[in-house]
Amino acid sequence: MTFDVIVVGLGGMGSAAAAHLAGRGQRVLGFERFGPAHALGSSHGGSRIIRQAYFEDPDYVPLLQRAYELWERAERDRGADLLTVTGGLYIGQPHHRTVGGSLATAQEHDLPHELLDAAEVRRRFPTLQPEDGEVALFEAVAGYVRPEASVSAHLELAARAGAELHFEEAVTAWEADGDGVRVTTATGTFRAERLVICPGAWAPQLLEDLGVPFTVERQVMYWFQPEGGAERYERHPIWIHQADDGLQLYGFPAIDGPDGGVKTAFFRHGSVTTPETIDRVVHPDEVEFMAKRLGAFAPGMPGRFLRGAACMYTTTPDEHFVVAVHPEHPNVTVACGFSGHGFKFVPVIGEILADLSTTGTTAHPIDLFDPRRGALSR
């Protein structure tokens, strides 16, 4: 069979790209080094926060608004539960980026929100205990998406539209020229007109020629069973708290039943690693540190530690994404460096990759993600 597009990497972004491309009638061949919806990269852990009052940069908001539309469409098309709206609290001192950046974005884009003082947070959300002087921005549309279910849904949509998907088949090399692209795996070499590369934590190897100094970081997710059980956490907003030392702690509702616990994690509190050397063991000192920080902010937590899991952030120097046509190869499109805050964008990134791969351009605002931007110079 002759293929129009090969997609390398079928995690969050790659699965969505394959679904969008196949849905447009493209003949798609996809490769994934592990099984479908696996837990060895960056698209697992049961839940990922989604929000619109985006402290990272206001320019993300139009993409987020489109992402919400596409999450809902994927749910309808697949008949799957992917996005749950819970409301969200972004908590800290007024000058902290978590609060101040969220507020500035909400005001710039006229996003509905409330600004609460610490006493009001404690009254309305007694599971949380911000200090006097801290404030919170509450956003009703925030919530979470389910990463494994999302990858599975997009893979199913891609296959349903005719994509050929290969699992347990790692790509070892790729080439592009005026005649198309060649992708090499352990089983052979495959050709197509165009290539989409969504390598996750394997970006430093597969996209070395891009010239972007990616850093792969090990991050840990934790699940605790609160004192008295998880019931009062079942109808609960997602939350992000920034402490005075800059460390961000975030948490979710209890979404996996009475014995599933409550998930929490730190944002950007990890260590440099590689996909080959990552330590997947969650150590007692890590649990102890998390329990101490969590207990100081959330009454009833940590309770009993249930389990932990490691994942990987692939981070750029400015913590923005890389989504673009490859600067040296017009028939290659890349999506990587999602820096720990990318999963909420999965369906819109898939749409953008389909645009770029088929037409070379997109109507979505993606200048912020150009791999040649000055912030990425070595």
Side-chain angles (χ1 to χ4, degrees):
M1 179 177 180
T2 302
F3 297 97
D4 297 314
V5 188
I6 294 175
V7 178
V8 175
L10 295 174
M13 306 307 175
S15 64
H20 279 275
L21 284 161
R24 297 182 188 189
Q26 297 290 297
R27 293 165 297 180
V28 175
L29 172 62
F31 290 105
E32 169 55 50
R33 67 177 55 235
F34 302 115
H38 62 82
L40 298 173
S42 306
S43 298
H44 60 285
S47 57
R48 290 288 189 274
I49 286 175
I50 187 166
R51 51 195 166 89
Q52 292 187 9
Y54 216 61
F55 58 77
E56 287 84 350
D57 195 295
D59 288 350
Y60 284 90
V61 171
L63 298 177
L64 286 160
Q65 292 172 327
R66 178 58 174 164
Y68 271 75
E69 296 172 354
L70 292 173
W71 280 119
E72 293 173 1
R73 188 166 83 184
E75 286 186 317
R76 292 194 302 270
D77 291 347
R78 181 61 185 90
D81 179 13
L82 305 180
L83 185 155
T84 300
V85 172
T86 64
L89 290 159
Y90 321 134
I91 308 163
Q93 295 291 336
H95 65 276
H96 288 167
R97 184 188 185 202
T98 301
V99 176
S102 299
L103 179 60
T105 293
Q107 292 172 334
E108 178 174 334
H109 287 277
D110 197 26
L111 302 175
H113 65 280
E114 299 177 68
L115 198 59
L116 312 177
D117 63 20
E120 182 67 5
V121 173
R122 294 192 295 260
R123 186 186 70 80
R124 288 173 56 175
F125 308 100
T127 53
L128 305 177
Q129 195 74 20
E131 297 179 356
D132 290 341
E134 292 186 321
V135 298
L137 185 143
F138 177 76
E139 181 179 35
V141 300
Y144 63 89
V145 293
R146 294 181 176 269
E148 294 93 341
S150 300
V151 173
S152 296
H154 282 120
L155 292 175
E156 170 61 28
L157 292 171
R160 187 189 299 173
E164 181 177 323
L165 306 177
H166 293 201
F167 298 97
E168 307 291 346
E169 188 167 353
V171 168
T172 56
W174 63 271
E175 297 178 84
D177 55 34
D179 296 325
V181 299
R182 291 183 298 278
V183 169
T184 302
T185 75
T187 66
T189 299
F190 302 82
R191 295 190 61 91
E193 294 180 10
R194 287 162 277 118
L195 177 62
V196 176
I197 307 178
C198 304
W202 288 262
Q205 295 98 307
L206 286 176
L207 290 174
E208 184 178 6
D209 68 330
L210 201 59
V212 176
F214 298 108
T215 300
V216 179
E217 300 173 352
R218 171 185 178 270
Q219 305 288 338
V220 178
M221 302 170 282
Y222 305 81
W223 285 260
F224 292 92
Q225 182 71 346
E227 296 175 6
E231 183 177 358
R232 62 177 179 156
Y233 294 86
E234 290 175 351
R235 299 179 63 84
H236 197 281
I238 61 91
W239 54 269
I240 305 170
H241 176 254
Q242 183 173 346
D244 283 336
D245 62 4
L247 192 58
Q248 289 174 302
L249 176 66
Y250 63 93
F252 294 84
I255 66 173
D256 295 318
D259 300 318
V262 175
K263 178 185 168 185
T264 187
F266 292 113
F267 186 51
R268 303 197 189 286
H269 181 68
S271 56
V272 175
T273 189
T274 70
E276 294 74 29
T277 63
I278 182 173
D279 181 2
R280 296 196 178 274
V281 176
V282 178
H283 299 278
D285 62 323
E286 295 178 305
V287 177
E288 182 180 359
F289 182 72
M290 168 54 81
K292 181 178 179 181
R293 296 295 290 243
L294 185 60
F297 179 71
M301 296 284 280
R304 179 168 54 92
F305 175 65
L306 297 177
R307 66 189 185 279
C311 71
M312 290 179 283
Y313 288 2
T314 308
T315 300
T316 65
D318 62 3
E319 300 175 2
H320 295 309
F321 310 157
V322 172
V323 181
V325 174
H326 194 293
E328 305 299 326
H329 306 292
N331 53 353
V332 178
T333 305
V334 299
C336 50
F338 290 96
S339 299
H341 64 108
F343 200 90
K344 59 182 72 65
F345 296 90
V346 155
V348 71
I349 295 296
E351 183 174 64
I352 290 167
L353 294 175
D355 292 344
L356 295 176
S357 182
T358 56
T359 70
T361 188
T362 182
H364 290 295
I366 61 169
D367 289 349
L368 186 63
F369 310 145
D370 191 330
R372 295 161 296 186
R373 61 189 185 266
L376 299 190
S377 60
R378 290 186 185 272

